[in-house]
Amino acid sequence: MTRKSEGGTNTATANRTASSLKSLRSQIDKLDLHILKLVNERAAIAGEIGKVKNDQSAEVFSPAREEEVLYNMLEASKGPLDPNTIRAIFREIMSGSRALQRVLKVAYLGPEYSFSHLAAVERFGQAVEFLRVGSIQAVFEEVNRGHADFGVVPLENSTDGRVADTLDMFLRLPQLIICAEVKLRIRHNLMANCDQPDIRRIYSKPQALSQCRSWLSKNVPHASLHEVSSTATAAELAQKEPGAAAVASRQAAVKYGLRVLFTDIEDSPFNLTRFAVIGHQKCGKTGHDKTAVMFRVPHNPGSLVEALDIFKQAKVNLTWIESFPAKTAKPEYVFFVDFEGHIEDPKVAKVIKSLHDHCLEVNILGSFPMDQTSS
């Protein structure tokens, strides 16, 4: 009798659980249909906005407006979804809505699932035409020639500092400007189709190997390190060669069918790369902006200090500074800086004027919204 009673109780409990699940799933189905209806209504309005933009010859991509939307949604969200999930959802909604107006062409350093590709997806979503190229120089050239609307290039890394190829191309093509920035948390993984003791070669991009050098020397000291053009290329080689491994993204491991042997192998837990979205388009003001400039000062004692003092006197906060060899006969340097504020701000306009008065050469690389993504 006891067993039958227990069996009956278990059956009743199972029936109540099944009924509860059915009811909850029914609520989700209704909400999904409502969400779908609202998303399509939003897209229809975005299509109308596209017609107005077309009549006014306005740009399809508006980084300032998109950052405003994301900021408003994150401020309004009370959970339980985390901010990164909210950003991803609205990024794709805006990407699809933007594509109803025009499908943008975006160049990046490939192959697919390189960190440059992941940064491009983070900024533009999936509803664009991605143009995969083989070098940072080619990204600039594709945008400069009008083959791509925008390009995504690495600008600096929190571990390795500047990306020299990008700074060099700003010198060569100063007519291209920064339209937006993307901050990407870089998580490196060791992947292979063999076990750790069998690894003989490890492929990756030079910067990735540098960012994991300590971990690799401690955990796979018997393997030789080989530099290739991108982390995704490294994953492709690891797939093809026996005894080969790659340092790359988890997405690259999935793409090339590799086993992730170790995760988060970067030496710094705060490994962040900042990417620049380059193009010809000027960006409107958001109130949370940066302006980027490159300048060359006279080759005199104290010239750089005097240039930097302009920012101090104006109480304008510098957020980045790099020196780079100038393309001149003399051994001179160009300085890259970005700082808080928009070119339309009176304070920033005053700083720019003072720089022109003091420097031999000043190029404004653009004003753009700060990426406020938490790392």
Side-chain angles (χ1 to χ4, degrees), residues 50-153:
K51 293 177 184 178
V52 174
K53 285 183 177 180
N54 188 56
D55 292 341
Q56 298 176 347
S57 299
E59 299 289 350
V60 170
F61 178 51
S62 176
R65 172 56 183 162
E66 293 190 6
E67 282 299 319
E68 180 186 12
V69 170
L70 290 172
Y71 180 82
N72 290 340
M73 292 302 98
L74 291 173
E75 284 291 296
S77 177
K78 305 301 181 185
L81 291 179
D82 67 83
N84 288 333
T85 302
I86 297 294
R87 285 184 67 92
I89 290 169
F90 279 90
R91 178 193 68 211
E92 292 304 329
I93 289 173
M94 289 189 289
S95 181
S97 298
R98 198 193 312 121
L100 294 175
Q101 302 170 38
R102 183 166 68 86
V103 177
L104 297 176
K105 294 181 179 179
V106 179
Y108 70 93
L109 172 62
E112 282 185 309
Y113 304 107
S114 65
F115 286 109
S116 290
H117 179 224
L118 298 180
V121 172
E122 178 69 24
R123 174 66 267 189
F124 290 96
Q126 296 283 359
V128 300
E129 181 182 343
F130 288 115
L131 302 179
R132 183 180 68 190
V133 299
S135 67
I136 288 172
Q137 291 86 342
V139 175
F140 275 82
E141 292 292 351
E142 289 296 285
V143 177
N144 188 52
R145 294 170 183 170
H147 298 163
D149 298 295
F150 299 96
V152 176
V153 292

Side-chain angles (χ1 to χ4, degrees), residues 81-365:
L81 291 179
D82 67 83
N84 288 333
T85 302
I86 297 294
R87 285 184 67 92
I89 290 169
F90 279 90
R91 178 193 68 211
E92 292 304 329
I93 289 173
M94 289 189 289
S95 181
S97 298
R98 198 193 312 121
L100 294 175
Q101 302 170 38
R102 183 166 68 86
V103 177
L104 297 176
K105 294 181 179 179
V106 179
Y108 70 93
L109 172 62
E112 282 185 309
Y113 304 107
S114 65
F115 286 109
S116 290
H117 179 224
L118 298 180
V121 172
E122 178 69 24
R123 174 66 267 189
F124 290 96
Q126 296 283 359
V128 300
E129 181 182 343
F130 288 115
L131 302 179
R132 183 180 68 190
V133 299
S135 67
I136 288 172
Q137 291 86 342
V139 175
F140 275 82
E141 292 292 351
E142 289 296 285
V143 177
N144 188 52
R145 294 170 183 170
H147 298 163
D149 298 295
F150 299 96
V152 176
V153 292
L155 192 60
E156 62 167 336
N157 176 265
S158 58
T159 301
D160 288 339
R162 70 184 187 184
V163 178
D165 287 349
T166 298
L167 301 190
D168 181 61
M169 288 308 296
F170 276 125
L171 286 177
R172 295 175 185 273
L173 298 173
Q175 64 269 31
L176 295 182
I177 61 174
I178 301 174
C179 311
E181 67 175 6
V182 184
K183 292 179 181 177
L184 197 66
R185 170 74 168 86
I186 304 297
R187 301 181 186 276
H188 290 304
N189 306 274
L190 185 68
M191 57 197 67
N193 279 333
C194 60
D195 294 328
Q196 178 187 2
D198 300 324
I199 295 173
R200 293 293 173 264
R201 295 174 304 285
I202 300 175
Y203 293 103
S204 200
K205 192 174 180 180
Q207 291 86 346
L209 292 175
S210 175
Q211 292 159 24
C212 304
R213 192 167 301 279
S214 177
W215 190 97
L216 293 172
S217 66
K218 291 177 182 177
N219 293 277
V220 277
H222 54 279
S224 57
L225 306 183
H226 300 267
E227 297 179 355
V228 293
S229 60
S230 76
T231 52
T233 297
E236 187 176 9
L237 289 169
Q239 179 198 45
K240 295 177 180 177
E241 295 185 18
V247 174
S249 68
R250 184 179 291 274
Q251 292 90 333
V254 174
K255 167 72 174 178
Y256 293 102
L258 296 169
R259 286 192 293 128
V260 175
L261 304 181
F262 298 95
T263 62
D264 298 340
I265 66 170
E266 60 276 4
D267 295 331
S268 169
F270 310 107
N271 193 26
L272 190 78
T273 294
R274 185 163 69 110
F275 294 81
V277 176
I278 59 170
H280 298 279
Q281 176 182 322
K282 293 182 179 179
C283 184
K285 185 176 176 181
T286 69
H288 304 279
D289 305 293
K290 289 181 183 176
T291 296
V293 173
M294 62 178 179
F295 61 84
R296 184 164 58 90
V297 296
H299 193 56
N300 298 323
S303 290
L304 176 59
V305 173
E306 291 170 4
L308 296 179
D309 194 54
I310 293 170
F311 297 95
K312 179 182 177 180
Q313 294 300 323
K315 296 183 179 179
V316 170
N317 188 36
L318 286 171
T319 52
W320 178 58
I321 180 168
E322 285 286 354
S323 63
F324 196 76
K327 304 294 182 181
T328 59
K330 298 179 181 179
E332 298 177 309
Y333 285 84
V334 172
F335 296 91
F336 290 82
V337 299
D338 62 28
F339 48 91
E340 294 176 358
H342 193 278
I343 193 68
E344 295 176 3
D345 297 335
K347 184 190 290 187
V348 172
K350 184 178 178 180
V351 164
I352 298 299
K353 182 181 182 305
S354 296
L355 282 175
H356 276 288
D357 293 341
H358 177 79
C359 299
L360 297 175
E361 182 182 354
V362 178
N363 288 97
I364 300 169
L365 296 179

